[in-house]
Coordinates of all heavy atoms in Angstrom, one line a residue:
M16 N 48.1 -9.7 28.7 CA 47.4 -8.7 29.5 C 47.0 -7.6 28.5 O 47.8 -7.1 27.7 CB 48.3 -8.2 30.6 CG 47.6 -7.2 31.5 SD 48.7 -6.7 32.8 CE 47.7 -5.4 33.6
S17 N 45.8 -7.1 28.7 CA 45.3 -5.9 27.9 C 44.3 -5.1 28.8 O 43.7 -5.7 29.7 CB 44.6 -6.4 26.7 OG 43.5 -7.2 27.0
I18 N 44.2 -3.9 28.5 CA 43.2 -3.0 29.3 C 42.4 -2.2 28.3 O 42.9 -2.0 27.1 CB 43.9 -2.1 30.3 CG1 44.9 -1.2 29.6 CG2 44.6 -2.9 31.4 CD1 45.4 -0.1 30.4
V19 N 41.3 -1.7 28.7 CA 40.5 -0.7 27.9 C 41.0 0.7 28.3 O 41.0 1.1 29.4 CB 39.0 -0.9 28.3 CG1 38.2 0.2 27.5 CG2 38.5 -2.3 27.9
K20 N 41.5 1.4 27.3 CA 42.0 2.7 27.5 C 41.0 3.7 27.0 O 40.6 3.7 25.8 CB 43.4 2.8 26.7 CG 44.1 4.1 27.0 CD 45.5 4.1 26.4 CE 46.3 5.3 26.7 NZ 47.6 5.3 26.1
S21 N 40.6 4.6 27.8 CA 39.6 5.6 27.5 C 40.2 6.8 26.9 O 41.2 7.3 27.3 CB 38.8 6.0 28.7 OG 37.8 7.0 28.4
E22 N 39.5 7.4 25.9 CA 40.0 8.6 25.2 C 39.6 9.9 26.0 O 40.1 10.9 25.7 CB 39.3 8.7 23.8 CG 39.8 7.6 22.8 CD 38.9 6.4 22.9 OE1 38.0 6.4 23.7 OE2 39.2 5.4 22.1
I23 N 38.7 9.7 27.0 CA 38.3 10.9 27.7 C 39.3 11.3 28.8 O 39.1 12.4 29.4 CB 36.9 10.8 28.3 CG1 36.9 9.7 29.4 CG2 35.9 10.4 27.2 CD1 35.6 9.6 30.2
I24 N 40.2 10.5 29.1 CA 41.2 10.8 30.2 C 42.1 11.9 29.8 O 42.7 12.0 28.7 CB 42.0 9.6 30.6 CG1 41.2 8.4 31.0 CG2 43.1 9.9 31.6 CD1 40.4 8.7 32.3
T25 N 42.2 12.9 30.7 CA 43.0 14.1 30.4 C 44.5 13.8 30.8 O 44.8 13.2 31.8 CB 42.5 15.3 31.2 OG1 41.1 15.4 31.1 CG2 43.2 16.6 30.8
D26 N 45.4 14.3 29.9 CA 46.8 14.1 30.2 C 47.3 15.2 31.0 O 47.9 16.2 30.5 CB 47.5 14.0 28.8 CG 49.0 13.6 29.0 OD1 49.3 13.1 30.1 OD2 49.8 13.8 28.1
K27 N 47.1 15.2 32.3 CA 47.6 16.2 33.2 C 47.9 15.6 34.6 O 47.4 14.5 34.9 CB 46.6 17.4 33.4 CG 45.4 17.0 34.2 CD 44.5 18.2 34.4 CE 45.0 19.2 35.4 NZ 45.1 18.7 36.7
K28 N 48.7 16.3 35.3 CA 49.0 15.8 36.7 C 47.9 16.2 37.6 O 47.3 17.2 37.5 CB 50.4 16.4 37.1 CG 51.6 15.8 36.4 CD 52.9 16.3 37.0 CE 54.1 15.7 36.3 NZ 55.4 16.2 36.8
P29 N 47.7 15.4 38.7 CA 46.6 15.7 39.6 C 46.9 17.0 40.4 O 48.1 17.4 40.5 CB 46.6 14.5 40.6 CG 47.3 13.4 39.8 CD 48.3 14.0 38.9
E30 N 45.9 17.6 40.9 CA 46.1 18.8 41.8 C 46.7 18.4 43.1 O 46.1 17.6 43.8 CB 44.7 19.4 42.0 CG 44.1 20.0 40.8 CD 44.8 21.2 40.3 OE1 45.3 22.0 41.1 OE2 44.9 21.4 39.0
K31 N 47.9 18.9 43.4 CA 48.6 18.5 44.6 C 47.9 18.7 45.9 O 47.9 17.9 46.8 CB 50.0 19.2 44.6 CG 51.0 18.5 43.8 CD 52.4 19.1 44.1 CE 53.5 18.4 43.2 NZ 54.8 18.9 43.5
Y32 N 47.2 19.8 46.0 CA 46.6 20.2 47.3 C 45.3 19.3 47.5 O 44.7 19.4 48.6 CB 46.3 21.7 47.4 CG 45.2 22.2 46.6 CD1 43.9 22.3 47.1 CD2 45.4 22.5 45.2 CE1 42.8 22.8 46.3 CE2 44.4 23.0 44.4 CZ 43.1 23.1 45.0 OH 42.1 23.6 44.2
L33 N 44.9 18.6 46.5 CA 43.7 17.7 46.6 C 44.1 16.3 46.8 O 43.2 15.4 46.7 CB 42.8 17.9 45.4 CG 42.1 19.2 45.3 CD1 41.3 19.2 44.0 CD2 41.1 19.5 46.4
L34 N 45.4 16.0 47.1 CA 45.9 14.7 47.3 C 46.2 14.5 48.8 O 46.9 15.3 49.4 CB 47.1 14.4 46.4 CG 46.9 14.4 44.9 CD1 48.2 14.2 44.2 CD2 45.8 13.4 44.5
A35 N 45.8 13.4 49.3 CA 46.2 13.0 50.7 C 47.2 11.9 50.7 O 47.3 11.1 49.8 CB 44.9 12.6 51.5
K36 N 48.0 11.9 51.8 CA 49.1 10.9 51.9 C 48.4 9.6 52.2 O 47.5 9.5 53.0 CB 50.0 11.3 53.1 CG 51.2 10.4 53.2 CD 52.1 10.9 54.3 CE 53.4 10.0 54.4 NZ 54.3 10.5 55.5
K37 N 49.0 8.5 51.6 CA 48.5 7.2 51.8 C 49.6 6.3 52.3 O 50.5 6.0 51.6 CB 47.9 6.6 50.5 CG 47.2 5.3 50.6 CD 46.6 4.9 49.3 CE 45.9 3.5 49.4 NZ 45.4 3.0 48.2
N38 N 49.5 5.9 53.6 CA 50.6 5.1 54.2 C 50.3 3.6 53.9 O 49.2 3.2 53.8 CB 50.6 5.3 55.7 CG 51.0 6.7 56.1 OD1 51.9 7.2 55.5 ND2 50.4 7.2 57.1
K39 N 51.4 2.9 53.6 CA 51.4 1.5 53.4 C 52.0 0.8 54.5 O 53.1 1.1 55.0 CB 52.1 1.2 52.1 CG 51.4 1.7 50.8 CD 52.0 1.1 49.6 CE 51.2 1.6 48.4 NZ 51.8 1.0 47.1
K40 N 51.3 -0.3 55.0 CA 51.8 -1.0 56.1 C 52.7 -2.2 55.7 O 53.5 -2.7 56.5 CB 50.7 -1.6 57.0 CG 49.8 -0.5 57.5 CD 50.5 0.5 58.4 CE 49.6 1.6 58.9 NZ 50.2 2.6 59.7
A41 N 52.5 -2.7 54.5 CA 53.3 -3.8 53.9 C 53.2 -5.0 54.7 O 54.2 -5.8 54.8 CB 54.8 -3.3 53.7
G42 N 52.1 -5.3 55.4 CA 51.9 -6.5 56.1 C 52.7 -6.6 57.4 O 53.0 -7.7 57.9
R43 N 53.1 -5.4 58.0 CA 54.0 -5.4 59.1 C 53.3 -4.8 60.4 O 52.6 -3.9 60.2 CB 55.3 -4.7 58.8 CG 56.2 -5.5 57.9 CD 57.3 -4.6 57.3 NE 58.3 -5.3 56.6 CZ 58.2 -5.9 55.4 NH1 57.0 -5.7 54.8 NH2 59.2 -6.6 54.9
S44 N 53.7 -5.3 61.5 CA 53.2 -4.8 62.8 C 54.5 -4.6 63.6 O 55.2 -5.6 63.9 CB 52.2 -5.7 63.5 OG 51.9 -5.2 64.7
H45 N 54.8 -3.4 64.0 CA 56.0 -3.1 64.8 C 57.2 -3.5 64.0 O 58.2 -3.9 64.6 CB 56.0 -3.7 66.2 CG 54.8 -3.3 67.0 ND1 54.7 -2.1 67.6 CD2 53.7 -3.9 67.4 CE1 53.6 -1.9 68.3 NE2 52.9 -3.1 68.1
G46 N 57.2 -3.4 62.7 CA 58.4 -3.7 61.9 C 58.5 -5.2 61.5 O 59.4 -5.5 60.7
K47 N 57.7 -6.0 62.1 CA 57.8 -7.5 61.8 C 56.7 -7.9 60.9 O 55.5 -7.5 61.1 CB 57.8 -8.3 63.1 CG 59.0 -8.0 64.0 CD 58.9 -8.8 65.3 CE 60.1 -8.6 66.2 NZ 60.1 -9.4 67.4
I48 N 57.0 -8.8 60.0 CA 55.9 -9.3 59.0 C 54.9 -10.1 59.8 O 55.2 -11.1 60.4 CB 56.6 -10.2 57.9 CG1 57.5 -9.3 57.1 CG2 55.5 -10.8 57.1 CD1 58.3 -10.1 56.0
S49 N 53.6 -9.6 59.7 CA 52.5 -10.3 60.4 C 51.6 -10.9 59.3 O 50.8 -11.8 59.6 CB 51.8 -9.3 61.3 OG 51.3 -8.2 60.5
V50 N 51.6 -10.4 58.1 CA 50.8 -10.9 57.0 C 51.8 -11.1 55.8 O 52.4 -10.1 55.4 CB 49.7 -10.0 56.6 CG1 48.8 -10.6 55.5 CG2 48.8 -9.7 57.8
R51 N 51.9 -12.3 55.3 CA 52.8 -12.6 54.2 C 52.3 -12.1 52.9 O 51.1 -11.9 52.7 CB 53.1 -14.1 54.2 CG 53.8 -14.6 55.4 CD 54.2 -16.1 55.2 NE 53.0 -16.9 54.9 CZ 53.1 -18.1 54.4 NH1 54.3 -18.6 54.0 NH2 52.0 -18.8 54.1
H52 N 53.2 -11.9 52.0 CA 52.9 -11.6 50.6 C 52.3 -10.2 50.4 O 51.4 -10.0 49.5 CB 52.0 -12.7 49.9 CG 52.4 -14.1 50.2 ND1 53.7 -14.5 49.9 CD2 51.8 -15.1 50.9 CE1 53.8 -15.8 50.3 NE2 52.7 -16.2 50.9
Q53 N 52.6 -9.3 51.3 CA 52.1 -7.9 51.2 C 53.3 -7.0 50.9 O 54.4 -7.3 51.2 CB 51.4 -7.5 52.5 CG 50.2 -8.4 52.9 CD 48.9 -7.8 52.5 OE1 48.7 -6.6 52.4 NE2 47.9 -8.7 52.2
G54 N 53.0 -5.8 50.4 CA 54.0 -4.8 50.2 C 54.4 -4.6 48.8 O 53.9 -5.4 47.9
G55 N 55.2 -3.6 48.5 CA 55.7 -3.3 47.2 C 54.6 -2.5 46.5 O 53.7 -1.9 47.1
G56 N 54.7 -2.5 45.2 CA 53.7 -1.7 44.4 C 54.1 -0.3 44.2 O 55.0 0.3 44.8
H57 N 53.4 0.4 43.3 CA 53.6 1.8 43.0 C 53.1 2.7 44.1 O 52.1 2.4 44.8 CB 52.9 2.1 41.7 CG 53.4 3.4 41.0 ND1 53.2 4.6 41.5 CD2 54.2 3.5 39.9 CE1 53.7 5.5 40.7 NE2 54.4 4.9 39.8
K58 N 53.9 3.7 44.4 CA 53.5 4.7 45.4 C 52.1 5.3 45.0 O 52.0 5.8 43.8 CB 54.5 5.7 45.6 CG 54.2 6.7 46.7 CD 55.4 7.7 46.9 CE 55.1 8.7 48.0 NZ 56.2 9.7 48.2
Q59 N 51.2 5.4 45.9 CA 49.9 6.0 45.6 C 49.5 7.1 46.6 O 50.0 7.1 47.7 CB 48.8 4.9 45.7 CG 48.9 3.8 44.7 CD 47.8 2.7 44.9 OE1 47.2 2.7 45.9 NE2 47.6 1.9 43.9
R60 N 48.8 8.1 46.1 CA 48.2 9.1 46.9 C 46.7 9.1 46.7 O 46.2 8.7 45.7 CB 48.8 10.5 46.6 CG 50.3 10.6 47.1 CD 50.8 11.9 46.7 NE 51.0 12.1 45.3 CZ 51.4 13.2 44.7 NH1 51.8 14.2 45.4 NH2 51.5 13.2 43.3
Y61 N 46.0 9.6 47.7 CA 44.5 9.5 47.7 C 43.9 10.8 47.3 O 44.0 11.8 48.1 CB 44.0 9.0 49.1 CG 42.5 8.8 49.1 CD1 42.0 7.6 48.8 CD2 41.6 9.8 49.5 CE1 40.7 7.3 48.8 CE2 40.3 9.6 49.5 CZ 39.8 8.4 49.2 OH 38.4 8.1 49.2
P62 N 43.3 10.9 46.1 CA 42.6 12.1 45.7 C 41.3 12.3 46.6 O 40.6 11.4 46.8 CB 42.1 11.9 44.3 CG 43.0 10.7 43.8 CD 43.3 9.9 45.0
I63 N 41.2 13.5 47.2 CA 40.1 13.8 48.1 C 38.9 14.0 47.3 O 38.8 15.0 46.6 CB 40.4 15.0 49.0 CG1 41.7 14.7 49.8 CG2 39.3 15.3 50.0 CD1 42.3 15.9 50.5
I64 N 37.9 13.1 47.4 CA 36.7 13.2 46.6 C 35.6 14.0 47.4 O 35.4 13.7 48.6 CB 36.1 11.8 46.2 CG1 37.3 11.0 45.6 CG2 34.9 11.9 45.3 CD1 37.8 11.5 44.3
D65 N 34.9 14.9 46.7 CA 33.8 15.6 47.3 C 32.5 14.8 47.1 O 31.9 15.0 46.1 CB 33.7 17.0 46.7 CG 32.6 17.8 47.3 OD1 32.1 17.5 48.4 OD2 32.1 18.8 46.6
F66 N 32.1 14.0 48.1 CA 30.9 13.2 48.0 C 29.7 14.1 48.4 O 28.5 13.7 48.1 CB 31.0 12.0 48.9 CG 32.0 11.0 48.4 CD1 33.1 10.7 49.2 CD2 31.8 10.3 47.2 CE1 34.0 9.8 48.7 CE2 32.7 9.4 46.8 CZ 33.9 9.1 47.5
M67 N 29.9 15.2 49.1 CA 28.8 16.0 49.5 C 28.3 16.9 48.3 O 27.1 17.0 48.2 CB 29.2 16.9 50.6 CG 29.6 16.2 51.9 SD 28.2 15.6 52.8 CE 27.4 17.1 53.3
Q68 N 29.2 17.5 47.6 CA 28.9 18.4 46.5 C 27.8 19.5 47.0 O 26.8 19.6 46.5 CB 28.3 17.7 45.3 CG 29.4 16.9 44.6 CD 28.9 16.2 43.3 OE1 28.9 15.0 43.2 NE2 28.4 17.0 42.4
N69 N 28.2 20.2 48.1 CA 27.3 21.1 48.7 C 27.5 22.6 48.4 O 27.1 23.5 49.1 CB 27.4 20.9 50.3 CG 28.8 21.0 50.8 OD1 29.7 21.3 50.1 ND2 28.9 20.7 52.1
K70 N 28.2 22.8 47.2 CA 28.2 24.2 46.7 C 27.0 24.3 45.8 O 27.0 24.2 44.6 CB 29.5 24.4 45.9 CG 30.8 24.4 46.7 CD 32.0 24.6 45.9 CE 32.2 26.1 45.5 NZ 32.6 26.9 46.6
F71 N 25.8 24.6 46.5 CA 24.5 24.5 45.9 C 24.3 25.7 45.0 O 24.7 26.9 45.3 CB 23.4 24.5 46.9 CG 23.5 23.2 47.8 CD1 23.3 23.3 49.1 CD2 23.6 22.0 47.2 CE1 23.4 22.1 49.9 CE2 23.6 20.8 47.9 CZ 23.5 20.9 49.3
D72 N 23.7 25.4 43.8 CA 23.3 26.5 42.8 C 24.4 27.3 42.3 O 24.2 28.4 41.8 CB 22.2 27.4 43.5 CG 21.0 26.6 44.0 OD1 20.6 25.7 43.3 OD2 20.5 27.0 45.1
I73 N 25.6 26.7 42.3 CA 26.8 27.3 41.7 C 27.3 26.4 40.6 O 27.6 25.2 40.9 CB 27.9 27.5 42.8 CG1 27.4 28.4 43.9 CG2 29.2 28.1 42.1 CD1 28.4 28.6 45.0
S74 N 27.3 26.9 39.4 CA 27.7 26.1 38.3 C 29.3 25.9 38.3 O 30.0 26.8 38.5 CB 27.3 26.8 37.0 OG 27.7 26.0 35.9
G75 N 29.7 24.6 38.1 CA 31.1 24.3 38.1 C 31.4 23.7 36.7 O 30.6 23.1 36.0
K76 N 32.7 24.0 36.3 CA 33.1 23.6 34.9 C 34.1 22.4 35.1 O 35.1 22.5 35.9 CB 33.8 24.7 34.2 CG 34.1 24.4 32.7 CD 34.6 25.7 32.0 CE 35.0 25.4 30.6 NZ 35.5 26.6 29.9
I77 N 33.9 21.4 34.3 CA 34.9 20.2 34.4 C 36.1 20.6 33.6 O 36.0 20.9 32.4 CB 34.2 18.9 33.8 CG1 33.0 18.6 34.7 CG2 35.2 17.8 33.7 CD1 32.1 17.5 34.1
I78 N 37.3 20.5 34.2 CA 38.5 20.9 33.5 C 39.4 19.7 33.3 O 40.4 19.8 32.6 CB 39.3 22.0 34.3 CG1 39.6 21.5 35.7 CG2 38.5 23.3 34.3 CD1 40.4 22.5 36.5
A79 N 39.1 18.5 33.9 CA 39.9 17.3 33.7 C 39.1 16.1 34.1 O 38.3 16.1 35.0 CB 41.2 17.4 34.4

Side-chain angles (χ1 to χ4, degrees):
M16 183 176 177
S17 62
I18 61 169
V19 176
K20 191 175 182 181
S21 177
E22 294 89 359
I23 66 171
I24 299 297
T25 310
D26 187 19
K27 72 176 287 296
K28 291 185 177 180
E30 295 289 323
K31 278 190 176 182
Y32 73 96
L33 292 175
L34 298 177
K36 187 177 180 182
K37 187 178 177 184
N38 292 324
K39 291 189 176 181
K40 302 300 182 183
R43 285 165 171 76
S44 177
H45 300 287
K47 296 181 179 180
I48 294 176
S49 56
V50 181
R51 297 186 300 163
H52 314 302
Q53 302 264 330
H57 198 286
K58 184 178 180 180
Q59 295 178 343
R60 287 179 293 177
Y61 185 87
I63 302 169
I64 308 297
D65 179 22
F66 293 113
M67 296 286 293
Q68 288 184 242
N69 52 6
K70 291 180 77 72
F71 297 134
D72 302 321
I73 300 175
S74 181
K76 187 176 182 180
I77 298 171
I78 58 175

